[in-house]
Amino acid sequence: MTSARHSAFRLDTLGALVLALAWISPLVFAVWAAFHTPSAAVSFDLSAPWTLDNVRAVWAQAPWLTYFFNTVKLVGLVLTGQFILCTLAAYAFARFTFRGREALFLLVLLQLFILPEVLIVENYAIVSNLGLFDTTLGMAMPYMASAFGIFLLRQAFKSVPRELEDAARVEGCSVLGVLWRVYVPVARPVYLAYALVSVSTHWNNFLWPLIITNSPDTRPLTVGLSLFGAPESGVDISMISAATLMTITPLIVAFLIFQRQFMQAFLTSGIK
C-alpha cells in the first residue's frame, strides 16, 4: 500500500514537472531570444553572444512610456471602481437582510458564466452614446462591476464575528463606519489577492481596448504591442520577444513580491 502511494506521488510530481516545463518554455525562449540576434534566435544557437540592441531598438520605435502610463491608468481606474462597487455589494449581501437577497446574489453570480466578448456590441453602443469612445474611462467602465470580486469579499465579510460589528456600533460607528473600520481591515489579504488578479487580467486585456481606442494617447501596452509586432512591418522574433518581455516584466515582479499573500488569500477563501 505504501509503495503504491509512493508510486502515485512520484507520478503526480512527474506530471506537475512536465506541465510546468511546458508552461514556462515559451517564456524562457522569449527571454533568450530578446537578448540575441534574429539569426541566432531562429537557429537556436546557444553559443551566440548576448546583446541589448533589441531592447534599445524596440524602445526607440514606439511611445512605450505613453503606453505604460495608459495601462497603469487603466488598471488603476478599473481596480478603484471594483473596490468601491464590490465592497458595497459584498457588504450588503453579507450583512443585510432584504427581500430577494439570495435570488439577487445568484443573479450576480451568473455574470461568471458570461464571456465579456459576448457583450462587446452592447458595451460599444453604450460607451459611444455616453461620449466615452477613445477614453480610459470608456475602456474601464464595463469591468468595474465584478461578480468574482463580490463573491470573494462576501465570503470574507461573512467570516467576521458579529461581536466586532456590535462593539463598533456601541462606540458610535455608522453603517459605513463599521464597513471601513471593521470589515475592510479584516479582508485586507483578500483585497490584495483580488487586486493581483484584476491588475494581471486588465493589464493583458486586448480585444476591448483595441476596439475602443483610436489614438496613441489612450492606447494601452497590449494594443501598442500588437501594432508593433504586426506582420505588415515584418516579423523579427528578437524584437517582438524584447517588446513582450518589456511589457510583462512589471507583472512578473509584482507576482514575485506578493506571491505568498496571493496564495494564502485564495486558499483561505476556498476553505471558507
Side-chain angles (χ1 to χ4, degrees), residues 1-10:
M1 187 66 180
T2 305
S3 177
R5 286 182 178 176
H6 185 65
S7 299
F9 175 76
R10 290 179 60 184

Side-chain angles (χ1 to χ4, degrees), residues 164-176:
L164 290 178
E165 180 177 345
D166 295 338
R169 289 287 181 88
V170 170
E171 293 293 329
C173 279
S174 62
V175 173
L176 291 179

Side-chain angles (χ1 to χ4, degrees), residues 75 78-79 82-83 112 143 146-149 152 189-205 251 254-255 258-259 261-263 265-267 269:
V75 299
V78 172
L79 190 60
Q82 288 177 335
F83 274 177
L112 296 173
Y143 299 99
S146 167
F148 180 58
L152 277 181
V190 177
Y191 279 106
L192 178 59
Y194 179 70
L196 287 173
V197 173
S198 175
V199 168
S200 62
T201 300
H202 298 290
W203 188 283
N204 294 316
N205 194 6
L251 285 183
F255 179 76
F258 297 110
Q259 59 177 323
Q261 292 88 340
F262 180 80
M263 298 302 295
F266 276 97
L267 285 174
S269 299

Side-chain angles (χ1 to χ4, degrees), residues 4-222:
R5 286 182 178 176
H6 185 65
S7 299
F9 175 76
R10 290 179 60 184
L11 285 175
D12 290 345
T13 304
L14 182 62
L17 288 175
V18 170
L19 289 176
L21 187 62
W23 180 84
I24 204 170
S25 294
L27 181 60
V28 172
F29 176 76
V31 173
W32 183 82
F35 298 102
H36 289 81
T37 60
S39 58
V42 172
S43 61
F44 207 66
D45 183 6
L46 296 177
S47 61
W50 293 63
T51 177
L52 288 173
D53 292 344
N54 299 319
V55 178
R56 295 194 194 99
V58 165
W59 187 260
Q61 291 183 20
W64 296 105
L65 273 181
T66 303
Y67 294 161
F68 270 108
F69 176 73
N70 292 338
T71 305
V72 170
K73 190 165 69 169
L74 171 63
V75 299
L77 191 58
V78 172
L79 190 60
T80 302
Q82 288 177 335
F83 274 177
I84 295 173
L85 294 177
C86 294
T87 298
L88 294 176
Y91 186 41
F93 284 125
R95 289 307 189 201
F96 292 93
T97 303
F98 52 90
R99 191 173 183 179
R101 184 183 67 171
E102 298 304 322
L104 188 59
F105 183 62
L106 289 176
L107 194 61
V108 170
L109 291 184
L110 284 179
Q111 186 198 30
L112 296 173
F113 299 95
I114 301 174
L115 293 174
E117 288 78 10
V118 176
L119 302 174
I120 277 183
V121 176
E122 288 77 11
N123 289 337
Y124 182 86
I126 294 172
V127 168
S128 297
N129 290 333
L130 293 174
L132 297 176
F133 182 80
D134 201 21
T135 64
T136 305
L137 181 59
M139 274 189 289
M141 200 168 59
Y143 299 99
M144 288 183 177
S146 167
F148 180 58
I150 293 172
F151 172 75
L152 277 181
L153 290 174
R154 175 182 175 269
Q155 295 298 100
F157 290 166
K158 283 175 72 72
S159 68
V160 177
R162 279 282 188 181
E163 289 76 12
L164 290 178
E165 180 177 345
D166 295 338
R169 289 287 181 88
V170 170
E171 293 293 329
C173 279
S174 62
V175 173
L176 291 179
V178 171
L179 173 63
W180 181 250
R181 290 182 172 82
V182 177
Y183 287 95
V184 171
V186 171
R188 192 172 297 161
V190 177
Y191 279 106
L192 178 59
Y194 179 70
L196 287 173
V197 173
S198 175
V199 168
S200 62
T201 300
H202 298 290
W203 188 283
N204 294 316
N205 194 6
F206 169 69
L207 185 57
W208 175 246
L210 176 66
I211 293 172
I212 207 67
T213 57
N214 200 28
S215 65
D217 293 336
T218 56
R219 197 171 285 155
L221 275 170
T222 49

